[in-house]
Amino acid sequence: MTPSYDLATRLEASRGLTECWNALMELKSYSNEIAIFFLNSQVDIGPDCCRAIDIITRNCWSAILTSLGFIAEEGNILRGYCDASSAPSLGGLAVIYQPQVSKVLA
């Protein structure tokens, strides 16, 4: 082990990894909310959940969502919803986001 590769250096380098795991654990607590969103689009995903989605989909490796059972397309849908819901309102008009999930026929 070289002297420049000490514990402090490794911890500093893993800060992004820690942020990803923390966001994943937070997102896990919103699993029911997200499942209902995909099943019938009747729930608003809150800002804390969207913050975790943003961190995971923009700053982390894409496979992290699979640990919660989501596929890449669902991650993109969630990010799109959160981006649309956090965008400034246009003249007081509400932003409506209707997820389109493709179905795979076997």
Side-chain angles (χ1 to χ4, degrees):
M1 186 159 88
T2 63
S4 64
Y5 192 69
D6 60 5
L7 179 59
T9 303
R10 289 184 307 201
L11 290 174
E12 182 65 31
S14 71
R15 185 180 316 196
L17 179 62
T18 302
E19 181 183 42
C20 289
W21 282 114
N22 287 340
L24 178 66
M25 296 311 292
E26 184 173 351
L27 192 61
K28 185 179 176 183
S29 69
Y30 297 108
S31 297
N32 290 339
E33 194 173 316
I34 293 170
I36 292 170
F37 172 79
F38 281 115
L39 291 174
N40 57 17
S41 301
Q42 290 185 355
V43 73
D44 281 330
I45 296 175
D48 291 336
C49 183
C50 279
R51 192 171 17 263
I53 290 167
D54 185 62
I55 290 169
I56 290 171
T57 59
R58 297 184 195 280
N59 302 337
C60 305
W61 60 100
S62 59
I64 197 167
L65 283 176
T66 61
S67 67
L68 291 178
F70 298 109
I71 59 172
E73 182 181 7
E74 291 166 333
N76 292 336
I77 290 168
L78 289 168
R79 184 173 63 206
Y81 172 85
C82 289
D83 287 349
S85 67
S86 68
S89 175
L90 303 173
L93 299 175
V95 176
I96 299 171
Y97 185 80
Q98 187 69 23
Q100 298 296 317
V101 178
S102 61
K103 297 186 187 225
V104 177
L105 300 175

